[in-house]
């Protein structure tokens, strides 16, 4: 079985400061890892993914994520947060054998001006 | 380019009434299709997925059913709605055989009264 944990329900940062949203995962075999963002009453938007290769993955809107196999983590980062980054962020995982993505519970990010 | 459409966007239904939510994908063929439910603006629960016409896999026993009458059409139904069916329903698709990221529709918000 595969699962994802997002240990923080909420993250608050000031605009211009670095932003980190944490994610840990559990899968059998090699993980396929994803980050999504959701604005109120909207669908989820794909930000980035890790499949293989470089542990640092760059995605949309200046976000990046670092894959750490030994810690089974895939934290989302942004060097300088914007007020417009305030949203709900989801981490997701699947393994080699499954069509399904398992999502974390989500982390609400609030960036204050 | 590919697009996904969901309708209706908002629906208010009485308990015991039927339900039909529709999802269509344009610009691709033989997609994998998914229905998720999001309760209280948080985590996503996979309800159904389909790898082809007439092929439906159910993830949780419940009051809902899904059908895929055409390659790019996915329908979520209920014969008699319950209060607990209220939520935000998200349709998603991915290219069959690709690395796994899903692309989501804008969602359908269902309120059962």
């Amino acid at each position: 079985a595969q699962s994802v944990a997002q240990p923080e329900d909420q993250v608050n940062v000031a605009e211009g400061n670095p932003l980190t949203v944490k994610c840990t995962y559990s899968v059998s075999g090699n993980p396929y890892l994803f980050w999504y963002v959701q604005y109120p009453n909207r669908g989820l938007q794909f930000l980035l993914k890790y499949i293989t290769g470089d542990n640092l993955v760059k995605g949309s809107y200046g976000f990046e994520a670092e894959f750490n196999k030994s810690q089974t983590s895939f934290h989302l980062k942004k060097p300088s947060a914007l007020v417009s980054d305030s949203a709900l962020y989801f981490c997701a995982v699947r393994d080699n054998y499954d069509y399904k993505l398992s999502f974390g519970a989500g982390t609400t990010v609030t960036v204050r001006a | 380019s590919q697009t996904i459409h969901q309708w209706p966007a908002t629906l208010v239904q009485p308990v015991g009434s039927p339900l039909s939510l529709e999802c269509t994908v344009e610009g691709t063929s033989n997609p994998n299709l998914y229905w998720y439910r999001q309760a209280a603006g948080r985590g996503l629960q996979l309800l159904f997925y389909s790898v082809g016409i007439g092929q439906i896999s159910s993830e949780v026993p419940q009051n809902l059913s899904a059908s895929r009458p055409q390659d790019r059409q996915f329908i979520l139904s209920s014969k008699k709605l319950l209060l607990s069916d209220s939520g935000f329903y998200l349709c998603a698709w991915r290219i069959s055989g690709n690395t796994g990221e899903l692309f989501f529709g804008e969602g359908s918000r269902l309120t059962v009264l």
Side-chain angles (χ1 to χ4, degrees), chain B residues 81-109:
Chain B
L81 285 168
L82 306 172
L83 287 173
S84 58
D85 291 324
S86 294
F88 193 48
Y89 289 83
L90 290 158
C91 182
W93 72 277
R94 75 177 179 96
I95 298 170
S96 178
N98 88 337
T99 50
E101 67 264 34
L102 300 183
F103 299 96
F104 284 82
E106 288 299 309
S108 297
R109 183 164 299 284

Side-chain angles (χ1 to χ4, degrees), chain A residues 8-9 32 34 36 38 41-44 46 49 51 88 90 94 98-101 103-108, chain B residues 32 34 36 38 41-44 46 49 51 59 88 90 94 98-107 109:
Chain A
E8 300 160 317
D9 282 344
Y32 292 8
F34 308 86
Y36 287 83
Q38 185 182 31
N41 296 309
R42 303 294 299 275
L44 277 68
F46 170 70
K49 66 183 177 184
I51 304 301
L88 182 57
F90 289 98
R94 66 175 279 252
D98 207 332
Y99 290 106
K100 301 168 288 186
L101 282 187
F103 285 84
T107 299
T108 299
Chain B
N32 291 343
Y34 303 78
Y36 283 86
Q38 185 177 27
R42 299 301 298 194
L44 283 82
L46 178 62
Y49 70 96
V51 299
E59 287 298 295
F88 193 48
L90 290 158
R94 75 177 179 96
N98 88 337
T99 50
E101 67 264 34
L102 300 183
F103 299 96
F104 284 82
E106 288 299 309
R109 183 164 299 284

Side-chain angles (χ1 to χ4, degrees), chain A residues 4-6 22-25 33-36 74-75 89-93 102-107:
Chain A
V4 172
Q6 293 182 240
K22 296 179 181 177
C23 171
T24 59
Y25 67 89
L33 294 156
F34 308 86
W35 275 102
Y36 287 83
F74 188 56
H75 300 331
Y89 290 81
F90 289 98
C91 182
V93 68
S102 295
F103 285 84
T107 299

